[in-house]
């Protein structure tokens, strides 16, 4: 497209921080050390995980760059960056997480396909940009709309990024129109990250940020926004990131029987200790992160230092000096919480952290949400 191109090779990749653990060099996929995640509530962009499917697109002329909003709408519109920046700007603190986070640990139980990740394919940032609900009003779609008069029910985001999974076509994904037009869902067309212009790895010049939803739906290097009748038929919507029972394997899988994953489930990971750490007996600080999709806050984090026999509640925090309450007015509902507890450890043991999310604000009717993170001390 004019102003933004996808290279055919990896000769013009951006620089990356040397501390990142590289899980795939081409395309570049990397995560920070788990200990780096708990150093800051807001993850610096250098330490934010990098999830890519091809060479990083290059902006050749920012003045010519534009996004086309079209499809089942009354008045399709071409939007340049100056048009988007003229809309009200919002800052949304939101955690993004790759749906494959912790895939390496999963593979120890049962082999799964895809890039291997430890616990750090997740990060929390302050995203700045225009709300998608405001953008869609420019093409005649009012806020809180579920169906357009032309039959549109979903919003598809198409990247300039080309990937092998799409047989050389663009990366793409979609969300329901009802979510896209809801201002409270805080879906952004973001051009800033942590108060600075997006860098190339994270979607410069413009990306979608869909809070509370797996990172695969937050499309980077945006080229087109299409209003469509059915959900996106791209690879990462139809043949990846779906949940199947244990009886299903790669020989009998039927992708069409399951819906694409959207809200990510509650997550809890210990970051201050590796899976097997050698420490001196005595007081040990145990810290990590907990997060839940769909705007559900973290109601509690419990830690056990005897393999789950007994539990102690950990302290939870977001911003310093502000009390964290799962559904509190001052709490960032789309963001993770950091937890910490100090325990007396005298012998080899298994440390387990358990997070419970706030179901009162959940979009589901399940009675409880739990996630575990473990470390062994030897």
């Amino acid at each position: 497209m004019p102003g933004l191109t996808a290279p055919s090779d990896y000769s013009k990749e951006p620089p990356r921080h040397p501390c990142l653990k590289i899980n795939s060099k081409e395309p570049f996929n990397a995560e920070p050390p788990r200990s780096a995640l708990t150093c800051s509530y807001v993850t610096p962009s250098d330490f934010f995980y990098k999830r890519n499917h091809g060479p990083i697109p290059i902006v050749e002329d920012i003045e010519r760059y534009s996004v086309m909003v079209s499809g089942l709408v009354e008045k399709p519109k071409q939007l340049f960056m100056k048009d988007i920046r003229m809309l009200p700007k919002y800052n949304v603190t939101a955690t993004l997480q790759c749906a494959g986070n912790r895939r390496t640990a999963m593979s120890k139980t049962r082999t799964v396909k895809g890039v291997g990740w430890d616990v750090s394919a997740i990060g929390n940032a302050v995203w700045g940009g225009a709300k998608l609900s405001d953008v869609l009003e420019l093409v005649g779609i009012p806020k809180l709309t579920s169906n357009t008069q032309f039959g549109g029910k979903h919003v598809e985001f198409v990247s300039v990024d080309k990937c092998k999974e799409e047989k050389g076509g663009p990366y793409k994904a979609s969300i329901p129109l009802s979510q896209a037009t809801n201002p409270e869902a805080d879906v952004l067309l973001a051009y800033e990250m942590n108060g600075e212009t997006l860098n190339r790895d994270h979607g410069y010049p413009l990306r979608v940020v869909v809070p509370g939803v797996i990172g695969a739906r937050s499309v980077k290097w945006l080229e087109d926004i299409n209003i469509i009748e059915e959900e996106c038929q791209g690879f990462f919507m139809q043949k990846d990131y779906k949940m199947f029972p244990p009886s299903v394997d790669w020989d009998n899988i039927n992708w069409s029987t399951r819906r694409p994953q959207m809200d990510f489930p509650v997550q809890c990971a210990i970051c201050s200790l590796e899976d097997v750490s050698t420490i001196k007996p005595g007081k040990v600080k145990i810290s990590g992160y907990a997060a839940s999709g769909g705007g559900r806050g973290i109601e509690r984090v419990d830690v056990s230092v005897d393999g789950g026999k007994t539990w102690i509640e950990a302290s939870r925090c977001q911003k310093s000096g502000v009390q964290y309450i799962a559904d509190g007015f001052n709490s960032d509902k789309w963001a993770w919480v950091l937890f910490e507890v100090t325990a007396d450890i005298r012998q080899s043991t298994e440390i387990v952290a358990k997070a419970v999310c706030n179901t009162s604000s959940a979009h589901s009717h399940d009675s409880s949400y739990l996630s575990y993170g473990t470390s062994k001390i030897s």
Side-chain angles (χ1 to χ4, degrees), residues 144-161:
L144 303 177
T145 297
S146 298
N147 302 271
T148 70
Q149 59 179 315
F150 304 102
K153 298 178 183 178
H154 298 265
V155 181
E156 179 184 62
F157 311 111
V158 182
S159 175
V160 74
D161 181 31

PDB file of all heavy atoms in Angstrom, residues 144-161:
ATOM      1  N   LEU A 144     -22.741   1.347  19.730  1.00  0.00           N
ATOM      2  CA  LEU A 144     -23.602   0.274  20.248  1.00  0.00           C
ATOM      3  C   LEU A 144     -24.449  -0.369  19.153  1.00  0.00           C
ATOM      4  O   LEU A 144     -25.620  -0.689  19.330  1.00  0.00           O
ATOM      5  CB  LEU A 144     -24.490   0.796  21.379  1.00  0.00           C
ATOM      6  CG  LEU A 144     -23.758   1.431  22.573  1.00  0.00           C
ATOM      7  CD1 LEU A 144     -24.743   1.968  23.594  1.00  0.00           C
ATOM      8  CD2 LEU A 144     -22.804   0.425  23.222  1.00  0.00           C
ATOM      9  N   THR A 145     -23.819  -0.582  18.006  1.00  0.00           N
ATOM     10  CA  THR A 145     -24.477  -1.233  16.876  1.00  0.00           C
ATOM     11  C   THR A 145     -24.012  -2.685  16.760  1.00  0.00           C
ATOM     12  O   THR A 145     -22.817  -2.961  16.825  1.00  0.00           O
ATOM     13  CB  THR A 145     -24.153  -0.498  15.561  1.00  0.00           C
ATOM     14  OG1 THR A 145     -24.677   0.823  15.622  1.00  0.00           O
ATOM     15  CG2 THR A 145     -24.756  -1.222  14.358  1.00  0.00           C
ATOM     16  N   SER A 146     -24.954  -3.604  16.596  1.00  0.00           N
ATOM     17  CA  SER A 146     -24.619  -5.016  16.416  1.00  0.00           C
ATOM     18  C   SER A 146     -24.709  -5.445  14.957  1.00  0.00           C
ATOM     19  O   SER A 146     -24.042  -6.398  14.542  1.00  0.00           O
ATOM     20  CB  SER A 146     -25.553  -5.898  17.256  1.00  0.00           C
ATOM     21  OG  SER A 146     -25.413  -5.626  18.633  1.00  0.00           O
ATOM     22  N   ASN A 147     -25.568  -4.762  14.174  1.00  0.00           N
ATOM     23  CA  ASN A 147     -25.757  -5.084  12.760  1.00  0.00           C
ATOM     24  C   ASN A 147     -25.891  -3.792  11.977  1.00  0.00           C
ATOM     25  O   ASN A 147     -26.635  -2.895  12.381  1.00  0.00           O
ATOM     26  CB  ASN A 147     -27.033  -5.905  12.551  1.00  0.00           C
ATOM     27  CG  ASN A 147     -27.033  -7.206  13.335  1.00  0.00           C
ATOM     28  OD1 ASN A 147     -26.570  -8.216  12.847  1.00  0.00           O
ATOM     29  ND2 ASN A 147     -27.553  -7.171  14.549  1.00  0.00           N
ATOM     30  N   THR A 148     -25.194  -3.702  10.857  1.00  0.00           N
ATOM     31  CA  THR A 148     -25.419  -2.554   9.987  1.00  0.00           C
ATOM     32  C   THR A 148     -26.644  -2.824   9.115  1.00  0.00           C
ATOM     33  O   THR A 148     -27.088  -3.972   8.983  1.00  0.00           O
ATOM     34  CB  THR A 148     -24.211  -2.284   9.080  1.00  0.00           C
ATOM     35  OG1 THR A 148     -24.121  -3.340   8.095  1.00  0.00           O
ATOM     36  CG2 THR A 148     -22.920  -2.221   9.873  1.00  0.00           C
ATOM     37  N   GLN A 149     -27.173  -1.791   8.521  1.00  0.00           N
ATOM     38  CA  GLN A 149     -28.349  -1.960   7.665  1.00  0.00           C
ATOM     39  C   GLN A 149     -28.054  -2.800   6.431  1.00  0.00           C
ATOM     40  O   GLN A 149     -28.964  -3.281   5.758  1.00  0.00           O
ATOM     41  CB  GLN A 149     -28.875  -0.581   7.233  1.00  0.00           C
ATOM     42  CG  GLN A 149     -27.871   0.258   6.464  1.00  0.00           C
ATOM     43  CD  GLN A 149     -28.431   1.603   6.046  1.00  0.00           C
ATOM     44  OE1 GLN A 149     -29.547   1.698   5.553  1.00  0.00           O
ATOM     45  NE2 GLN A 149     -27.638   2.661   6.270  1.00  0.00           N
ATOM     46  N   PHE A 150     -26.759  -3.019   6.162  1.00  0.00           N
ATOM     47  CA  PHE A 150     -26.357  -3.825   5.008  1.00  0.00           C
ATOM     48  C   PHE A 150     -25.956  -5.247   5.419  1.00  0.00           C
ATOM     49  O   PHE A 150     -25.465  -6.013   4.598  1.00  0.00           O
ATOM     50  CB  PHE A 150     -25.200  -3.155   4.279  1.00  0.00           C
ATOM     51  CG  PHE A 150     -25.502  -1.744   3.848  1.00  0.00           C
ATOM     52  CD1 PHE A 150     -25.005  -0.663   4.569  1.00  0.00           C
ATOM     53  CD2 PHE A 150     -26.317  -1.493   2.750  1.00  0.00           C
ATOM     54  CE1 PHE A 150     -25.288   0.646   4.185  1.00  0.00           C
ATOM     55  CE2 PHE A 150     -26.607  -0.190   2.364  1.00  0.00           C
ATOM     56  CZ  PHE A 150     -26.103   0.877   3.081  1.00  0.00           C
ATOM     57  N   GLY A 151     -26.158  -5.577   6.699  1.00  0.00           N
ATOM     58  CA  GLY A 151     -25.878  -6.935   7.162  1.00  0.00           C
ATOM     59  C   GLY A 151     -24.527  -7.148   7.800  1.00  0.00           C
ATOM     60  O   GLY A 151     -24.144  -8.295   8.077  1.00  0.00           O
ATOM     61  N   GLY A 152     -23.778  -6.086   8.073  1.00  0.00           N
ATOM     62  CA  GLY A 152     -22.476  -6.233   8.709  1.00  0.00           C
ATOM     63  C   GLY A 152     -22.597  -6.593  10.179  1.00  0.00           C
ATOM     64  O   GLY A 152     -23.332  -5.941  10.918  1.00  0.00           O
ATOM     65  N   LYS A 153     -21.864  -7.638  10.611  1.00  0.00           N
ATOM     66  CA  LYS A 153     -21.917  -8.084  12.003  1.00  0.00           C
ATOM     67  C   LYS A 153     -20.533  -8.210  12.641  1.00  0.00           C
ATOM     68  O   LYS A 153     -20.426  -8.407  13.842  1.00  0.00           O
ATOM     69  CB  LYS A 153     -22.630  -9.437  12.090  1.00  0.00           C
ATOM     70  CG  LYS A 153     -24.079  -9.425  11.629  1.00  0.00           C
ATOM     71  CD  LYS A 153     -24.680 -10.823  11.718  1.00  0.00           C
ATOM     72  CE  LYS A 153     -26.112 -10.831  11.195  1.00  0.00           C
ATOM     73  NZ  LYS A 153     -26.687 -12.202  11.222  1.00  0.00           N
ATOM     74  N   HIS A 154     -19.502  -8.123  11.814  1.00  0.00           N
ATOM     75  CA  HIS A 154     -18.141  -8.275  12.314  1.00  0.00           C
ATOM     76  C   HIS A 154     -17.243  -7.218  11.697  1.00  0.00           C
ATOM     77  O   HIS A 154     -17.522  -6.706  10.606  1.00  0.00           O
ATOM     78  CB  HIS A 154     -17.588  -9.665  11.987  1.00  0.00           C
ATOM     79  CG  HIS A 154     -18.349 -10.784  12.624  1.00  0.00           C
ATOM     80  ND1 HIS A 154     -17.986 -11.349  13.822  1.00  0.00           N
ATOM     81  CD2 HIS A 154     -19.484 -11.425  12.225  1.00  0.00           C
ATOM     82  CE1 HIS A 154     -18.845 -12.307  14.132  1.00  0.00           C
ATOM     83  NE2 HIS A 154     -19.772 -12.360  13.189  1.00  0.00           N
ATOM     84  N   VAL A 155     -16.154  -6.899  12.412  1.00  0.00           N
ATOM     85  CA  VAL A 155     -15.161  -5.952  11.908  1.00  0.00           C
ATOM     86  C   VAL A 155     -13.858  -6.714  11.709  1.00  0.00           C
ATOM     87  O   VAL A 155     -13.295  -7.268  12.656  1.00  0.00           O
ATOM     88  CB  VAL A 155     -14.948  -4.779  12.885  1.00  0.00           C
ATOM     89  CG1 VAL A 155     -13.927  -3.800  12.319  1.00  0.00           C
ATOM     90  CG2 VAL A 155     -16.261  -4.061  13.164  1.00  0.00           C
ATOM     91  N   GLU A 156     -13.407  -6.740  10.472  1.00  0.00           N
ATOM     92  CA  GLU A 156     -12.185  -7.453  10.118  1.00  0.00           C
ATOM     93  C   GLU A 156     -11.032  -6.463   9.969  1.00  0.00           C
ATOM     94  O   GLU A 156     -11.163  -5.430   9.321  1.00  0.00           O
ATOM     95  CB  GLU A 156     -12.383  -8.203   8.804  1.00  0.00           C
ATOM     96  CG  GLU A 156     -11.150  -8.967   8.338  1.00  0.00           C
ATOM     97  CD  GLU A 156     -11.366  -9.620   6.986  1.00  0.00           C
ATOM     98  OE1 GLU A 156     -11.604  -8.882   5.997  1.00  0.00           O
ATOM     99  OE2 GLU A 156     -11.304 -10.862   6.921  1.00  0.00           O
ATOM    100  N   PHE A 157      -9.899  -6.805  10.576  1.00  0.00           N
ATOM    101  CA  PHE A 157      -8.697  -5.989  10.491  1.00  0.00           C
ATOM    102  C   PHE A 157      -7.689  -6.715   9.605  1.00  0.00           C
ATOM    103  O   PHE A 157      -7.374  -7.887   9.841  1.00  0.00           O
ATOM    104  CB  PHE A 157      -8.097  -5.759  11.872  1.00  0.00           C
ATOM    105  CG  PHE A 157      -9.099  -5.291  12.894  1.00  0.00           C
ATOM    106  CD1 PHE A 157      -9.478  -6.115  13.948  1.00  0.00           C
ATOM    107  CD2 PHE A 157      -9.679  -4.036  12.805  1.00  0.00           C
ATOM    108  CE1 PHE A 157     -10.396  -5.692  14.892  1.00  0.00           C
ATOM    109  CE2 PHE A 157     -10.605  -3.596  13.738  1.00  0.00           C
ATOM    110  CZ  PHE A 157     -10.966  -4.434  14.788  1.00  0.00           C
ATOM    111  N   VAL A 158      -7.183  -6.028   8.611  1.00  0.00           N
ATOM    112  CA  VAL A 158      -6.233  -6.631   7.671  1.00  0.00           C
ATOM    113  C   VAL A 158      -4.912  -5.876   7.753  1.00  0.00           C
ATOM    114  O   VAL A 158      -4.870  -4.647   7.669  1.00  0.00           O
ATOM    115  CB  VAL A 158      -6.772  -6.588   6.226  1.00  0.00           C
ATOM    116  CG1 VAL A 158      -5.786  -7.267   5.273  1.00  0.00           C
ATOM    117  CG2 VAL A 158      -8.141  -7.264   6.145  1.00  0.00           C
ATOM    118  N   SER A 159      -3.834  -6.620   7.912  1.00  0.00           N
ATOM    119  CA  SER A 159      -2.496  -6.039   8.028  1.00  0.00           C
ATOM    120  C   SER A 159      -1.813  -5.984   6.669  1.00  0.00           C
ATOM    121  O   SER A 159      -2.176  -6.711   5.738  1.00  0.00           O
ATOM    122  CB  SER A 159      -1.658  -6.883   8.986  1.00  0.00           C
ATOM    123  OG  SER A 159      -0.316  -6.429   9.040  1.00  0.00           O
ATOM    124  N   VAL A 160      -0.820  -5.122   6.571  1.00  0.00           N
ATOM    125  CA  VAL A 160       0.048  -5.151   5.383  1.00  0.00           C
ATOM    126  C   VAL A 160       1.037  -6.315   5.497  1.00  0.00           C
ATOM    127  O   VAL A 160       1.641  -6.735   4.517  1.00  0.00           O
ATOM    128  CB  VAL A 160       0.789  -3.804   5.223  1.00  0.00           C
ATOM    129  CG1 VAL A 160       1.903  -3.673   6.261  1.00  0.00           C
ATOM    130  CG2 VAL A 160       1.354  -3.651   3.822  1.00  0.00           C
ATOM    131  N   ASP A 161       1.165  -6.857   6.714  1.00  0.00           N
ATOM    132  CA  ASP A 161       2.077  -7.959   7.008  1.00  0.00           C
ATOM    133  C   ASP A 161       1.665  -9.221   6.259  1.00  0.00           C
ATOM    134  O   ASP A 161       0.516  -9.643   6.320  1.00  0.00           O
ATOM    135  CB  ASP A 161       2.057  -8.206   8.523  1.00  0.00           C
ATOM    136  CG  ASP A 161       2.980  -9.316   8.955  1.00  0.00           C
ATOM    137  OD1 ASP A 161       4.016  -9.500   8.305  1.00  0.00           O
ATOM    138  OD2 ASP A 161       2.659  -9.997   9.958  1.00  0.00           O
TER     139      ASP A 161
END
